[in-house]
Amino acid sequence: MIHYKTEEEIKLMKESCKLAAEVLLMIEPYVKPGVTTERLDQICHDYIISKGAVPSPLNYRGFPKSICSSVNEEICHGIPSDRKLRNGDIVNLDITTYLNGFHGDTSRTFFVGSPRKKAAKLVEVCREALQRGIEVVKPGAKLGDIGATIQNYAESHGYSIVREFCGHGIGANFHEEPQILHYGSFGEGLEIKKGMVFTIEPMVNLGKPDLRILSDKWTAVTQDGEISAQFEHTLCVTDNGVDVMTRLDGKTQF
Ligand code: MF3
Ligand code: CO
Ligand code: CO
């Protein structure tokens, strides 16, 4: 069942989404060579709590930390640890906050120090793939239009799209219907309607799309060991388009 949100619910949810976006902005200066992902987790955790919110990942289906941190060949759901980030790494930080009874979910891939050219290109294509996916969202369009747009863009650069994880409806629950695939065909899938709130969060691999899960039961990594990037926004469908709820207007953000 899809939970269509009322104007009032969207207003409350926006505060949670803005907070998640602020966390990504707040943490950026700490993402430097030598920092551990555990330290980044701790800073985000404390910030979220200080705003009267709760980090949604903590204890979610047994997840042990407050954010996900996925480095280089890690695709998503990496667990913050004592691993030190190194110059040239890329790291996705995925922030989900629970505030006002609603979740807000956003992530971006950061460069640690100076990126290698192939990493910089991959990350930029992933960011642009999300942007292009967002731009097709409006009442009357189909969910397949989002997936097809993202897939075509990523594959036109020789990259691949991860199939095992997708975007999702979000609201009072972290993950709700519908599923938002990042691949597909134009004109297929459910019709997009006003009041739908969902994430788009493409994972784009430099090499092959295949993944495996590490023995920690969470971390998804590429089978071929090549790097992977991800960006995520939470958005709601309006009368004639889309509102990106995890975007902070007027501030430097992706
Ligand atoms: N934030 C992730 C998403 O975009 C979900 C993380 S689940 C966790 O859907 F348990 F790993 F935190
Ligand atoms: Co999500
Ligand atoms: Co997320």
Side-chain angles (χ1 to χ4, degrees):
M1 191 187 103
I2 295 177
H3 295 284
Y4 293 89
K5 273 74 175 178
T6 63
E7 300 289 342
E8 185 54 29
E9 288 171 321
I10 285 171
K11 220 173 115 185
L12 291 168
M13 200 167 167
K14 252 182 200 170
E15 293 188 32
S16 190
C17 289
K18 295 279 175 226
L19 175 59
E22 276 166 26
V23 175
L24 281 181
L25 209 57
M26 177 280 299
I27 200 66
E28 181 167 18
Y30 297 96
V31 184
K32 290 270 141 59
V35 76
T36 65
T37 50
E38 225 158 37
R39 176 77 187 126
L40 298 175
D41 176 77
Q42 186 182 40
I43 296 166
C44 291
H45 174 95
D46 292 349
Y47 185 87
I48 291 165
I49 297 293
S50 78
K51 302 291 178 182
V54 172
S56 310
L58 190 58
N59 301 321
Y60 176 77
R61 297 178 183 227
F63 192 79
K65 296 284 183 180
S66 296
I67 67 171
C68 297
S69 59
S70 305
V71 185
N72 296 341
E73 77 288 354
E74 297 174 352
I75 295 169
C76 64
H77 301 167
I79 302 174
S81 72
D82 58 6
R83 174 179 185 163
K84 280 194 169 118
L85 296 178
R86 298 163 54 165
N87 184 51
D89 283 349
I90 59 171
V91 60
N92 173 278
L93 300 182
D94 193 337
I95 311 295
T96 315
T97 53
Y98 185 72
L99 180 69
N100 288 341
F102 293 98
H103 298 272
D105 193 4
T106 183
S107 87
R108 65 169 282 198
T109 300
F110 295 89
F111 301 122
V112 182
S114 3
R116 295 174 216 290
K117 211 170 224 162
K118 67 176 193 175
K121 278 189 189 157
L122 175 74
V123 169
E124 170 53 21
V125 167
C126 184
R127 189 202 59 74
E128 181 64 21
L130 168 58
Q131 180 56 31
R132 290 182 181 217
I134 290 170
E135 281 166 14
V136 308
V137 176
K138 61 173 187 213
K142 300 289 171 63
L143 289 182
D145 301 345
I146 302 172
T149 300
I150 291 171
Q151 179 181 16
N152 288 353
Y153 185 71
E155 290 182 354
S156 76
H157 288 82
Y159 302 139
S160 64
I161 293 284
V162 171
R163 311 297 168 112
E164 287 85 347
F165 299 102
C166 54
H168 49 92
I170 181 168
N173 307 294
F174 196 163
H175 296 102
E176 300 181 354
E177 287 178 39
Q179 293 197 345
I180 311 295
L181 304 182
H182 305 113
Y183 59 92
S185 307
F186 288 103
E188 289 190 356
L190 281 184
E191 185 175 320
I192 296 172
K193 294 189 176 143
K194 184 190 173 183
M196 278 184 172
V197 179
F198 55 82
T199 73
I200 306 180
E201 48 182 296
M203 285 140 277
V204 178
N205 291 358
L206 186 73
K208 296 206 165 69
D210 313 86
L211 64 74
R212 66 189 172 89
I213 306 292
L214 298 186
S215 58
D216 64 17
K217 303 264 178 63
W218 281 103
T219 312
V221 300
T222 59
Q223 274 183 26
D224 61 12
E226 298 278 10
I227 58 173
S228 178
Q230 182 178 27
F231 285 81
E232 173 175 26
H233 273 307
T234 297
L235 45 94
C236 66
V237 182
T238 61
D239 279 314
N240 49 16
V242 62
D243 183 11
V244 182
M245 298 165 82
T246 44
R247 189 166 273 155
L248 299 166
D249 1 73
K251 296 197 188 149
T252 321
Q253 217 204 356
F254 67 92

